Amino acid sequence: MKERSKKIKFWLVNIITFTRVIGSIIMPIIYFTKGIETLVFFVVTLFLTDFIDGKLSRIWKVESFLGSLLDSVSDKLFAFVMLGILSYEYPGLLSVLTLEFIIFVINTLAFSEFKNVQSSKIGKLKTFIMDASLSILCFFSAKDLLGDFLGQKFIKIITKIEYSTSYILIGIMFGIGLVTVCDYSKKRLKQVTKYEKMKYKQLKNFKEIWKILTTRETYINNKNKSLKELLYKEKSHK
């Protein structure tokens, strides 16, 4: 019964994370059919899922590589889509979107090389600044709707500060993004993994791979290692 309960909690957390992937795909549809005002409420919901799944996985002790992968994919997809949509409102965000794509390429190359470019303090700061800035810009874009609740004085204040504030936020996002690109590039080039020292390599079977992806103990003991490195084993060469 205890094992079954743990499995239910494991899948519940990962389903919550996966809803952010689906939600990110739906976001452009909402924006182009319902407008930015409706999208604001949807984005708030997605932000809540990001907080909930991480909190639950730690409380229930069901952290895993699978959950970590889903979380990374959903966060990156959400950032791409959000930057793309808001670029219609604030074209300067295209520069930030370009840097995000470069970071994605760096991480993808690191993964293909069996390296693990972990998020540093700079990377975490970049994510926090971007989430906060995009939230502000999103609410700026929906100021007419918010004005219905907060009054016309609110709209006048937002309108007055929107232009200058948006460029300040975009400048800050671009700056911290550029620093993150340099930081991740340096880490990728410096890192040498156990996999690179293996002369002959063989991918583990599906059962072993699934256990690595879904077992909490494996994740806790190896989360600082490259996932791809864990999926291969050294074989003797005859």
Side-chain angles (χ1 to χ4, degrees):
M1 184 64 71
K2 187 177 180 181
E3 187 64 29
R4 184 181 178 185
S5 174
K6 191 171 183 179
K7 284 184 179 179
I8 292 173
K9 290 175 180 177
F10 171 83
W11 286 112
L12 178 60
V13 167
N14 285 293
I15 288 170
I16 292 172
T17 305
F18 190 69
T19 58
R20 208 154 58 253
V21 175
I22 303 300
S24 297
I25 296 171
I26 296 173
M27 280 168 58
I29 299 174
I30 295 175
Y31 175 73
F32 288 112
T33 58
K34 301 295 183 180
I36 190 70
E37 290 83 2
T38 304
L39 183 64
V40 167
F41 293 104
F42 192 69
V43 167
V44 170
T45 304
L46 292 182
F47 270 128
L48 287 175
T49 64
D50 193 18
F51 170 78
I52 291 170
D53 61 2
K55 197 76 173 176
L56 286 178
S57 67
R58 289 186 290 273
I59 293 174
W60 288 342
K61 297 182 179 181
V62 290
E63 305 101 311
S64 67
F65 276 112
L66 179 63
S68 179
L69 280 172
L70 279 176
D71 190 59
S72 296
V73 170
S74 63
D75 286 349
K76 187 59 70 175
L77 182 60
F78 176 79
F80 278 141
V81 174
M82 199 68 207
L83 284 168
I85 289 173
L86 287 177
S87 292
Y88 282 90
E89 312 285 333
Y90 307 97
L93 283 173
L94 288 173
S95 61
V96 181
L97 180 59
T98 301
L99 287 178
E100 279 297 297
F101 180 74
I102 293 172
I103 292 172
F104 170 74
V105 171
I106 292 170
N107 287 332
T108 301
L109 287 173
F111 181 78
S112 68
E113 296 165 349
F114 295 80
K115 296 178 180 179
N116 182 20
V117 180
Q118 288 186 305
S119 180
S120 60
K121 289 181 179 179
I122 294 174
K124 291 177 181 177
L125 178 62
K126 188 267 299 180
T127 300
F128 173 78
I129 289 175
M130 181 172 292
D131 286 347
S133 299
L134 291 179
S135 297
I136 293 170
L137 293 177
C138 199
F139 280 105
F140 277 0
S141 300
K143 60 182 179 293
D144 292 336
L145 175 64
L146 296 174
D148 294 339
F149 298 98
L150 302 175
Q152 291 303 309
K153 285 186 177 180
F154 172 80
I155 294 181
K156 288 180 180 178
I157 293 172
I158 294 299
T159 303
K160 187 178 291 186
I161 67 171
E162 180 180 3
Y163 182 81
S164 57
T165 304
S166 65
Y167 275 94
I168 290 172
L169 292 175
I170 290 169
I172 292 172
M173 282 190 283
F174 183 84
I176 192 66
L178 193 60
V179 172
T180 304
V181 166
C182 296
D183 181 50
Y184 283 13
S185 297
K186 185 178 178 182
K187 285 183 176 180
R188 173 184 158 248
L189 292 173
K190 278 189 171 183
Q191 195 174 104
V192 178
T193 68
K194 176 185 174 184
Y195 177 86
E196 292 176 275
K197 298 176 183 178
M198 292 183 188
K199 192 172 182 181
Y200 305 105
K201 314 165 185 71
Q202 181 180 12
L203 185 65
K204 294 177 180 178
N205 61 48
F206 177 79
K207 188 175 181 180
E208 291 175 305
I209 291 174
W210 185 248
K211 187 175 180 181
I212 290 169
L213 291 175
T214 59
T215 305
R216 180 177 185 263
E217 289 72 22
T218 303
Y219 174 76
I220 296 298
N221 295 329
N222 298 281
K223 60 182 177 180
N224 293 326
K225 296 180 182 178
S226 164
L227 172 59
K228 199 171 181 182
E229 177 184 326
L230 297 174
L231 302 181
Y232 280 77
K233 60 184 177 182
E234 190 167 12
K235 67 174 182 177
S236 59
H237 181 68
K238 297 180 181 179

